[in-house]
mmCIF file of all heavy atoms in Angstrom:
data_model
loop_
_atom_site.group_PDB
_atom_site.id
_atom_site.type_symbol
_atom_site.label_atom_id
_atom_site.label_comp_id
_atom_site.label_asym_id
_atom_site.label_seq_id
_atom_site.Cartn_x
_atom_site.Cartn_y
_atom_site.Cartn_z
ATOM 1 N N THR A 1115 142.808 112.675 115.534
ATOM 2 C CA THR A 1115 142.990 113.931 114.799
ATOM 3 C C THR A 1115 142.147 113.885 113.532
ATOM 4 O O THR A 1115 142.211 112.922 112.758
ATOM 5 C CB THR A 1115 144.477 114.159 114.428
ATOM 6 O OG1 THR A 1115 145.202 114.388 115.639
ATOM 7 C CG2 THR A 1115 144.652 115.366 113.514
ATOM 8 N N ILE A 1116 141.357 114.924 113.340
ATOM 9 C CA ILE A 1116 140.500 115.031 112.155
ATOM 10 C C ILE A 1116 141.132 116.035 111.191
ATOM 11 O O ILE A 1116 141.498 117.144 111.595
ATOM 12 C CB ILE A 1116 139.081 115.479 112.558
ATOM 13 C CG1 ILE A 1116 138.427 114.381 113.414
ATOM 14 C CG2 ILE A 1116 138.227 115.801 111.332
ATOM 15 C CD1 ILE A 1116 137.085 114.761 113.992
ATOM 16 N N ILE A 1117 141.248 115.618 109.937
ATOM 17 C CA ILE A 1117 141.874 116.474 108.919
ATOM 18 C C ILE A 1117 140.783 117.040 108.008
ATOM 19 O O ILE A 1117 139.974 116.284 107.455
ATOM 20 C CB ILE A 1117 142.867 115.665 108.050
ATOM 21 C CG1 ILE A 1117 143.807 114.844 108.930
ATOM 22 C CG2 ILE A 1117 143.643 116.586 107.117
ATOM 23 C CD1 ILE A 1117 144.589 113.774 108.153
ATOM 24 N N SER A 1118 140.749 118.357 107.868
ATOM 25 C CA SER A 1118 139.777 118.993 106.971
ATOM 26 C C SER A 1118 140.492 120.094 106.187
ATOM 27 O O SER A 1118 140.494 121.257 106.589
ATOM 28 C CB SER A 1118 138.604 119.572 107.783
ATOM 29 O OG SER A 1118 137.684 120.201 106.901
ATOM 30 N N LEU A 1119 141.120 119.703 105.100
ATOM 31 C CA LEU A 1119 141.878 120.648 104.273
ATOM 32 C C LEU A 1119 141.281 120.684 102.874
ATOM 33 O O LEU A 1119 140.429 119.856 102.529
ATOM 34 C CB LEU A 1119 143.355 120.233 104.241
ATOM 35 C CG LEU A 1119 144.044 120.268 105.626
ATOM 36 C CD1 LEU A 1119 145.404 119.598 105.579
ATOM 37 C CD2 LEU A 1119 144.175 121.703 106.128
ATOM 38 N N SER A 1120 141.735 121.618 102.064
ATOM 39 C CA SER A 1120 141.139 121.831 100.737
ATOM 40 C C SER A 1120 141.133 120.563 99.896
ATOM 41 O O SER A 1120 140.145 120.249 99.235
ATOM 42 C CB SER A 1120 141.917 122.872 99.942
ATOM 43 O OG SER A 1120 142.000 124.045 100.635
ATOM 44 N N ASN A 1121 142.264 119.871 99.872
ATOM 45 C CA ASN A 1121 142.403 118.683 99.022
ATOM 46 C C ASN A 1121 143.550 117.829 99.556
ATOM 47 O O ASN A 1121 144.242 118.210 100.508
ATOM 48 C CB ASN A 1121 142.643 119.088 97.564
ATOM 49 C CG ASN A 1121 143.734 120.142 97.463
ATOM 50 O OD1 ASN A 1121 144.776 120.023 98.107
ATOM 51 N ND2 ASN A 1121 143.499 121.187 96.688
ATOM 52 N N TYR A 1122 143.741 116.682 98.917
ATOM 53 C CA TYR A 1122 144.773 115.754 99.389
ATOM 54 C C TYR A 1122 146.185 116.321 99.210
ATOM 55 O O TYR A 1122 147.088 115.975 99.955
ATOM 56 C CB TYR A 1122 144.642 114.419 98.658
ATOM 57 C CG TYR A 1122 143.784 113.438 99.416
ATOM 58 C CD1 TYR A 1122 142.401 113.559 99.434
ATOM 59 C CD2 TYR A 1122 144.350 112.402 100.140
ATOM 60 C CE1 TYR A 1122 141.610 112.674 100.140
ATOM 61 C CE2 TYR A 1122 143.574 111.502 100.848
ATOM 62 C CZ TYR A 1122 142.206 111.648 100.840
ATOM 63 O OH TYR A 1122 141.435 110.760 101.550
ATOM 64 N N GLU A 1123 146.350 117.159 98.205
ATOM 65 C CA GLU A 1123 147.680 117.751 98.002
ATOM 66 C C GLU A 1123 148.071 118.546 99.254
ATOM 67 O O GLU A 1123 149.186 118.425 99.763
ATOM 68 C CB GLU A 1123 147.622 118.664 96.776
ATOM 69 C CG GLU A 1123 148.967 118.948 96.186
ATOM 70 C CD GLU A 1123 148.849 119.934 95.017
ATOM 71 O OE1 GLU A 1123 147.740 120.129 94.464
ATOM 72 O OE2 GLU A 1123 149.881 120.515 94.687
ATOM 73 N N ALA A 1124 147.106 119.347 99.746
ATOM 74 C CA ALA A 1124 147.362 120.139 100.958
ATOM 75 C C ALA A 1124 147.602 119.199 102.141
ATOM 76 O O ALA A 1124 148.518 119.414 102.952
ATOM 77 C CB ALA A 1124 146.174 121.061 101.232
ATOM 78 N N SER A 1125 146.796 118.138 102.238
ATOM 79 C CA SER A 1125 146.939 117.205 103.351
ATOM 80 C C SER A 1125 148.319 116.536 103.329
ATOM 81 O O SER A 1125 148.977 116.395 104.360
ATOM 82 C CB SER A 1125 145.822 116.157 103.266
ATOM 83 O OG SER A 1125 145.990 115.205 104.269
ATOM 84 N N ASP A 1126 148.753 116.134 102.123
ATOM 85 C CA ASP A 1126 150.070 115.492 102.015
ATOM 86 C C ASP A 1126 151.181 116.457 102.432
ATOM 87 O O ASP A 1126 152.132 116.061 103.112
ATOM 88 C CB ASP A 1126 150.318 115.011 100.572
ATOM 89 C CG ASP A 1126 149.449 113.815 100.223
ATOM 90 O OD1 ASP A 1126 148.812 113.251 101.141
ATOM 91 O OD2 ASP A 1126 149.398 113.440 99.037
ATOM 92 N N GLN A 1127 151.022 117.735 102.028
ATOM 93 C CA GLN A 1127 152.051 118.722 102.407
ATOM 94 C C GLN A 1127 152.157 118.845 103.922
ATOM 95 O O GLN A 1127 153.233 118.959 104.486
ATOM 96 C CB GLN A 1127 151.715 120.095 101.823
ATOM 97 C CG GLN A 1127 152.111 120.253 100.366
ATOM 98 C CD GLN A 1127 151.620 121.577 99.788
ATOM 99 O OE1 GLN A 1127 151.253 122.499 100.516
ATOM 100 N NE2 GLN A 1127 151.601 121.663 98.481
ATOM 101 N N VAL A 1128 150.983 118.814 104.587
ATOM 102 C CA VAL A 1128 150.967 119.035 106.036
ATOM 103 C C VAL A 1128 151.399 117.773 106.791
ATOM 104 O O VAL A 1128 152.155 117.850 107.767
ATOM 105 C CB VAL A 1128 149.545 119.470 106.487
ATOM 106 C CG1 VAL A 1128 149.427 119.486 107.998
ATOM 107 C CG2 VAL A 1128 149.206 120.841 105.905
ATOM 108 N N PHE A 1129 150.934 116.595 106.337
ATOM 109 C CA PHE A 1129 151.106 115.375 107.149
ATOM 110 C C PHE A 1129 152.309 114.525 106.782
ATOM 111 O O PHE A 1129 152.857 113.842 107.635
ATOM 112 C CB PHE A 1129 149.824 114.526 107.092
ATOM 113 C CG PHE A 1129 148.798 115.040 108.052
ATOM 114 C CD1 PHE A 1129 147.946 116.068 107.682
ATOM 115 C CD2 PHE A 1129 148.729 114.543 109.334
ATOM 116 C CE1 PHE A 1129 147.031 116.585 108.580
ATOM 117 C CE2 PHE A 1129 147.818 115.051 110.247
ATOM 118 C CZ PHE A 1129 146.964 116.073 109.868
ATOM 119 N N ARG A 1130 152.694 114.548 105.509
ATOM 120 C CA ARG A 1130 153.743 113.594 105.110
ATOM 121 C C ARG A 1130 155.128 114.149 105.387
ATOM 122 O O ARG A 1130 155.939 114.356 104.474
ATOM 123 C CB ARG A 1130 153.565 113.203 103.652
ATOM 124 C CG ARG A 1130 152.274 112.424 103.442
ATOM 125 C CD ARG A 1130 152.301 111.628 102.176
ATOM 126 N NE ARG A 1130 151.002 111.065 101.873
ATOM 127 C CZ ARG A 1130 150.795 110.071 101.019
ATOM 128 N NH1 ARG A 1130 151.810 109.551 100.385
ATOM 129 N NH2 ARG A 1130 149.585 109.615 100.802
ATOM 130 N N THR A 1131 155.364 114.400 106.674
ATOM 131 C CA THR A 1131 156.701 114.806 107.102
ATOM 132 C C THR A 1131 157.084 113.892 108.263
ATOM 133 O O THR A 1131 156.189 113.420 108.994
ATOM 134 C CB THR A 1131 156.727 116.271 107.609
ATOM 135 O OG1 THR A 1131 156.028 116.326 108.858
ATOM 136 C CG2 THR A 1131 156.074 117.222 106.618
ATOM 137 N N PRO A 1132 158.361 113.630 108.456
ATOM 138 C CA PRO A 1132 158.768 112.716 109.540
ATOM 139 C C PRO A 1132 158.274 113.174 110.903
ATOM 140 O O PRO A 1132 157.841 112.351 111.724
ATOM 141 C CB PRO A 1132 160.295 112.746 109.465
ATOM 142 C CG PRO A 1132 160.596 113.145 108.051
ATOM 143 C CD PRO A 1132 159.496 114.067 107.626
ATOM 144 N N VAL A 1133 158.265 114.486 111.146
ATOM 145 C CA VAL A 1133 157.896 114.960 112.485
ATOM 146 C C VAL A 1133 156.396 114.756 112.750
ATOM 147 O O VAL A 1133 155.991 114.355 113.857
ATOM 148 C CB VAL A 1133 158.363 116.428 112.706
ATOM 149 C CG1 VAL A 1133 157.673 117.391 111.779
ATOM 150 C CG2 VAL A 1133 158.181 116.858 114.145
ATOM 151 N N VAL A 1134 155.563 114.970 111.753
ATOM 152 C CA VAL A 1134 154.125 114.752 111.933
ATOM 153 C C VAL A 1134 153.841 113.251 112.027
ATOM 154 O O VAL A 1134 153.044 112.794 112.858
ATOM 155 C CB VAL A 1134 153.299 115.408 110.796
ATOM 156 C CG1 VAL A 1134 151.822 115.081 110.936
ATOM 157 C CG2 VAL A 1134 153.497 116.912 110.804
ATOM 158 N N ALA A 1135 154.522 112.457 111.190
ATOM 159 C CA ALA A 1135 154.317 111.003 111.233
ATOM 160 C C ALA A 1135 154.672 110.465 112.613
ATOM 161 O O ALA A 1135 153.951 109.624 113.172
ATOM 162 C CB ALA A 1135 155.178 110.332 110.162
ATOM 163 N N GLU A 1136 155.735 110.958 113.181
ATOM 164 C CA GLU A 1136 156.152 110.497 114.517
ATOM 165 C C GLU A 1136 155.105 110.877 115.568
ATOM 166 O O GLU A 1136 154.753 110.078 116.438
ATOM 167 C CB GLU A 1136 157.529 111.123 114.856
ATOM 168 C CG GLU A 1136 158.166 110.640 116.128
ATOM 169 C CD GLU A 1136 158.340 109.115 116.191
ATOM 170 O OE1 GLU A 1136 158.566 108.490 115.142
ATOM 171 O OE2 GLU A 1136 158.211 108.560 117.320
#
Side-chain angles (χ1 to χ4, degrees):
T1115 292
I1116 295 174
I1117 311 166
S1118 179
L1119 297 169
S1120 304
N1121 48 45
Y1122 267 76
E1123 200 184 342
S1125 176
D1126 289 350
Q1127 279 174 16
V1128 171
F1129 279 85
R1130 294 200 189 197
T1131 70
V1133 64
V1134 176
E1136 186 56 33

